[in-house]
Amino acid sequence: MSLTVHTEQRGDVVVVSVAGELDMATAPQLQDQITDLLDKGRNRLVFDLADVSFCDSTGLSVFVRAKNSCDEAGGVVRLAAPQRGVLRILEVSGLVEVLHTYPTVDEAVAGNPTPASS
């Protein structure tokens, strides 16, 4: 399965919509997109995961690296709208709070304190 990545500027936040399976084969594509955004000074990122059907540890590591890079640049990374299976992986790995996961893109963009796991 392939991965598609689209970006949309919402104020000072870039919404990165990801669709497909995020795994060892497709993670480099997302990583390249993140690197390009960071190179352009975009360090406030919301990843819309509503259309991600699968995410393995390689995909999780892309989000962790993005968070670390954005933190260093004074930005933020938030995840939004993960499907049940992806949310479960985030919960089991302990990353659901570290990566600030929200039930909707709008809440993630606003930074509301309602986590997806509630």
Side-chain angles (χ1 to χ4, degrees):
M1 174 131 197
S2 64
L3 187 77
T4 58
V5 181
H6 298 285
T7 60
E8 173 192 354
Q9 190 77 38
R10 288 201 198 174
D12 65 345
V13 174
V14 177
V15 176
V16 181
S17 298
V18 185
E21 294 183 358
L22 185 54
D23 57 21
M24 187 167 55
T26 59
Q29 179 183 345
L30 180 57
Q31 184 62 58
D32 289 347
Q33 184 73 41
I34 294 167
T35 299
D36 185 52
L37 289 167
L38 292 170
D39 287 348
K40 292 177 180 174
R42 307 290 196 270
N43 60 14
R44 298 180 56 78
L45 308 177
V46 167
F47 292 94
D48 178 358
L49 305 181
D51 294 322
V52 174
S53 57
F54 175 79
C55 181
D56 70 4
S57 61
T58 311
L60 292 179
S61 69
V62 170
F63 296 128
V64 171
R65 283 196 302 275
K67 179 192 182 328
N68 292 340
S69 295
C70 287
D71 285 353
E72 289 174 13
V76 66
V77 165
R78 297 181 185 122
L79 306 183
Q83 292 184 24
R84 181 175 299 205
V86 174
L87 179 58
R88 183 72 181 132
I89 292 166
L90 289 164
E91 289 171 341
V92 169
S93 67
L95 293 175
V96 73
E97 284 88 17
V98 172
L99 292 172
H100 305 291
T101 305
Y102 295 80
T104 69
V105 171
D106 289 341
E107 288 176 276
V109 168
N112 294 337
T114 307
S117 59
S118 292

